[in-house]
Amino acid sequence: MSAVRKIRLVVLISGRGSNLQAILDQAASGELPVEVAAVISNRPGVHGLERARQAGVPALELDHKHFANRPAFEAALIELIDRHRPDLVALAGFMRVLTADFTEHYRGRLLNIHPSLLPKFRGLHTHERAIAAGETEHGASIHFVTAELDGGPVIMRARVPVLLGDDPDTLAARVLEREHRLYPLAIRWFAEGRVRLDGERVWFDGKPLAEPLWLEEALLSR
Ligand code: NHR
Ligand code: GAR
């Protein structure tokens, strides 16, 4: 039996859901003190919804195309999420830009995984852009979501080398493997109360973080 209370987590996806799977697996094994209360996709029929069903988690669709505009979609999304009373909401390959109304509603309890070493390469097509820029290192970041796209305070990053002959797919695969360690660990810290947002700053173990943590160092010091 664990001493840590489980938090309620809602995961938002748009596709494959491999990061969701990593979270579901660690929740099932007891490594991660979360109850995945619901999984919501803005795209109908994606594989991530099937993963949720397999894990016995409510798999919900909210197709943004059925709404006249972003605010109308987001109002419905907020209502659907809040029905599940989450302590934390995690974007995991969620591909819709969110307005400030949404990000403010969940301020301090909304995380995203972004496939670059933030603050480098905000936005889309990060692997392609990292290769084109001649980067020798690339990776993924976990950040608190604010209105500024991929600009919220960063908690932790994981890095991988860019290898000679990499194309966006080979590089994405190398990054994704790290993502599957990175996201569950950041969520676990949040659940344990070790990480929180205060204003514009991330606090970790009772101290403001001067720099985002590195996954590799975090795993060593566990
Ligand atoms: N919203 C806010 N306000 N702040 C962030 O940090 C956000 C966000 C919404 C999503 C994830 C994100 C990423 O990690 C994310 C972070 C989608 C787009 C995008 O341009 C950009 C960034 C991210 C997700 N989406 C297009 C849109 O018009 C649609 C693209 C598509 O459907 O394929 O919403 O990179
Ligand atoms: C992941 O690489 C994630 O970092 C990225 O999409 C992939 C989702 O994979 N997120 C974004 O690009 C957000 N714009 P998954 O569905 O298998 O978890």
Side-chain angles (χ1 to χ4, degrees):
M1 221 168 62
S2 161
V4 179
R5 186 182 76 91
K6 282 191 186 179
I7 65 161
R8 295 176 62 80
L9 174 68
V10 168
V11 183
L12 304 189
I13 63 168
S14 299
R16 169 179 63 183
S18 72
N19 277 290
L20 166 68
Q21 189 69 59
I23 293 163
L24 290 169
D25 289 349
Q26 288 207 11
S29 74
E31 252 180 289
L32 190 55
V34 309
E35 177 181 345
V36 183
V39 171
I40 303 172
S41 173
N42 68 301
R43 287 184 196 279
V46 297
H47 185 56
L49 290 167
E50 183 54 30
R51 297 179 191 266
R53 275 182 222 110
Q54 289 288 331
V57 170
L60 311 169
E61 292 175 355
L62 192 71
D63 188 344
H64 62 273
K65 296 198 188 91
H66 295 167
F67 296 86
N69 49 42
R70 252 177 235 276
F73 166 65
E74 288 184 4
L77 183 57
I78 286 175
E79 189 188 291
L80 190 57
I81 293 169
D82 286 352
R83 238 181 262 166
H84 298 276
R85 294 177 289 104
D87 300 297
L88 180 66
V89 177
L91 308 182
F94 182 72
M95 297 309 290
R96 297 301 294 173
V97 171
L98 299 162
T99 70
D101 285 342
F102 187 97
T103 60
E104 281 310 305
H105 182 84
Y106 296 106
R107 192 177 178 86
R109 52 191 181 114
L110 182 59
L111 297 181
N112 180 42
I113 184 157
H114 179 74
S116 80
L117 295 176
L118 288 173
K120 286 187 172 170
F121 307 114
R122 295 181 183 180
L124 303 178
H125 312 298
T126 55
H127 308 302
E128 193 183 316
R129 287 158 60 208
I131 291 171
E135 297 288 331
T136 59
E137 276 193 339
H138 186 48
S141 307
I142 307 293
H143 65 95
F144 281 104
V145 175
T146 63
E148 194 183 348
L149 190 65
D150 298 324
V154 178
I155 301 167
M156 180 166 49
R157 298 178 294 182
R159 54 181 154 198
V160 302
V162 179
L163 301 180
L164 210 64
D166 263 340
D167 61 36
D169 290 341
T170 58
L171 182 55
R174 192 174 308 119
V175 172
L176 192 63
E177 186 267 325
R178 302 316 293 156
E179 292 186 34
H180 297 161
R181 299 295 298 275
L182 184 66
Y183 214 175
L185 183 57
I187 291 171
R188 180 167 138 191
W189 285 344
F190 183 92
E192 291 171 346
R194 295 180 68 184
V195 59
R196 64 185 176 85
L197 182 67
D198 185 6
E200 293 294 314
R201 277 196 114 159
V202 177
W203 284 57
F204 182 69
D205 284 348
K207 293 186 282 284
L209 260 193
E211 296 256 344
L213 300 157
W214 287 109
L215 174 67
E216 295 68 22
E217 289 160 20
L219 289 174
L220 285 176
S221 69
R222 260 195 320 157

